């Protein structure tokens, strides 16, 4: 799924939406130390009170929220192992959600490495995409279903234990130590979660799973491999680091800001071209694409590229996602670190940055249009 598909489904997670319907929900409370199930409930989502429904909708919407390959991952099932796919298909098509989800719950219990009690929530839902309005057409018939997408969603939620606190008793007019008994299920920040199947180009893709991790760039290996039986991919942070290693291996330890700016600009052009053509796949960079980027960015010697690429990536068939290497060009910044100061600068402004020597000392020179303001005061301008 791309960002557009994720956003389209995510915005449907709201009350009284006839295009998005949750059928059943199964909730299981698991003790952390013993891994015992102390409560298991299955009910129709429509039977829950309104506040309960709203909390759950926000919880499952969170599973589809976050940067791709940083918190939300599209994963393939492990090659040659159909166990995870068969399990999830069986639950999706089952007549009894609770009975057929028992094996999934068992797998989560086996791989349970959570530090608190958890509640596992599992739903079956359906998203109906309306027919696309054509130019010149009125809104009549726009509610006709063009695509119906049935899917599962699962979330693992932390249980927060109540804390003792001092409270004021207005009736007895005095202070007392509270003794709360109710635990709180944290539905605002799931620990792990997934949606199956994926939704790509208006059709269900049963060969992939959308997985969510609470910690950025830190997917839960035990959950991914042991529960849903998927293959982990490089995170966005890891892909960016790999690309940096490749560039360093080709150009050396030092690079001119203009060349760095050109590299980011060429990658940004590919991202924009993909968005303009509304392609579902994220543009990727293999060894040949990187060769083209470097040649057109002013790097003169790229003779070591293939060797460096294979050493860094371990095989030459792997491709890096352009969006992992370069976040949105206009809105994100690149960090520049030194022992004196850390700053952030937009990739498009790299061409105005230079490292120079003045009076025998290295200095960072940045072109600016306006005066620098420090604590409300303008800095004096010196001739260089």
């Amino acid at each position: 799924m791309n960002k557009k598909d994720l956003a389209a489904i995510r915005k449907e997670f709201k009350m009284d939406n006839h295009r998005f319907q949750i059928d059943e929900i199964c909730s299981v409370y698991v003790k952390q130390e013993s891994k015992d199930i102390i409560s298991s409930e299955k009910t129709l989502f429509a039977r829950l009170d309104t506040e309960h429904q709203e909390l759950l909708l926000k919880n499952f919407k969170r599973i589809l929220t976050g940067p791709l390959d940083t918190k939300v991952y599209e994963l393939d099932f492990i090659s040659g192992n159909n166990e995870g796919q068969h399990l999830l298909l069986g639950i999706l098509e089952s007549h009894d959600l609770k009975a057929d989800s028992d094996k999934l719950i068992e797998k989560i219990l086996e791989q349970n490495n959570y530090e608190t009690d958890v509640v596992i929530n599992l739903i079956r839902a359906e998203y109906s995409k309306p027919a696309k309005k054509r130019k010149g057409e009125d809104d009549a018939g726009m509610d006709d279903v063009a695509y119906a997408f049935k899917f599962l969603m699962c979330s693992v939620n932390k249980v927060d234990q109540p804390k003792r606190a001092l409270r004021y008793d207005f009736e007895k007019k005095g202070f007392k130590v509270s003794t709360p008994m109710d635990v709180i299920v944290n539905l605002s920040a799931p620990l792990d979660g997934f949606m199956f199947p994926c939704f790509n180009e208006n059709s269900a893709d049963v060969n992939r799973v959308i997985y969510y991790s609470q910690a950025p760039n830190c997917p839960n290996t035990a959950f991914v491999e042991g529960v849903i039986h998927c293959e982990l991919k490089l995170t966005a942070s890891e892909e960016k680091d790999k690309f940096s290693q490749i560039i360093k291996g080709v150009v050396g330890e030092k690079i001119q800001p203009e060349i760095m700016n050109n590299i980011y600009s060429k990658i940004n052009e590919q991202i924009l071209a993909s968005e303009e053509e509304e392609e579902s796949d994220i543009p990727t960079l293999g060894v040949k694409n990187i060769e083209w980027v470097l040649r057109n960015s002013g790097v003169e010697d790229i003779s070591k590229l293939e060797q460096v690429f294979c050493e860094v990536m371990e095989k030459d068939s792997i491709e890096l996602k352009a969006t992992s290497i370069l976040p949105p060009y206009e809105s994100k910044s690149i960090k520049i670190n030194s022992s004196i100061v850390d700053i952030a600068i937009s990739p498009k402004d790299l061409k105005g940055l230079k490292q120079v020597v003045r009076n025998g000392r290295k200095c960072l020179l940045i072109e600016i249009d306006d005066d620098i303001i420090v604590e409300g005061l303008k800095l004096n301008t010196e001739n260089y």
Side-chain angles (χ1 to χ4, degrees), residues 21 66 81 106 166 184 205 217 237 304 321 348 357 376:
Q21 299 292 326
N81 184 340
E106 289 175 9
L166 190 67
I184 298 173
D205 184 352
N217 292 301
S237 177
K304 296 187 292 184
K321 293 185 181 68
K348 65 183 178 62
V357 176

Side-chain angles (χ1 to χ4, degrees), residues 18-34:
H18 68 280
R19 292 202 299 262
F20 180 83
Q21 299 292 326
I22 298 177
D23 180 18
E24 298 172 284
I25 178 167
C26 179
S27 298
V28 178
Y29 189 113
V30 181
K31 293 295 292 181
Q32 185 262 332
E33 293 183 357
S34 63

Side-chain angles (χ1 to χ4, degrees), residues 265 267-278 283 329-330:
S265 178
I267 296 174
N268 186 59
E269 288 175 9
Q270 297 191 27
I271 295 173
L272 292 177
S274 175
E275 291 176 351
E276 289 176 0
E277 295 175 8
E278 297 186 351
Y329 201 59
E330 298 294 333

Side-chain angles (χ1 to χ4, degrees), residues 96-111:
D96 189 339
L97 177 65
K98 185 175 183 299
D100 288 281
S101 63
D102 283 348
K103 190 172 182 181
L104 176 67
I105 303 299
E106 289 175 9
K107 283 182 172 292
I108 296 176
L109 295 183
E110 290 172 4
Q111 302 296 331

Side-chain angles (χ1 to χ4, degrees), residues 49-100:
D49 61 61
T50 301
E51 290 184 355
H52 195 166
Q53 290 179 357
E54 289 176 342
L55 287 171
L56 287 168
L57 281 172
K58 290 179 181 179
N59 169 66
F60 286 106
K61 183 178 181 179
R62 182 70 63 182
I63 300 298
L64 304 178
T65 303
L68 286 170
D69 300 313
T70 299
K71 296 194 72 169
V72 180
Y73 304 81
E74 184 179 49
L75 303 177
D76 298 318
F77 290 105
I78 295 174
S79 179
N81 184 340
N82 296 325
E83 184 178 352
Q85 185 180 35
H86 288 165
L87 172 62
L88 298 183
L89 280 172
I91 299 173
L92 182 64
E93 299 168 356
S94 168
H95 296 293
D96 189 339
L97 177 65
K98 185 175 183 299
D100 288 281

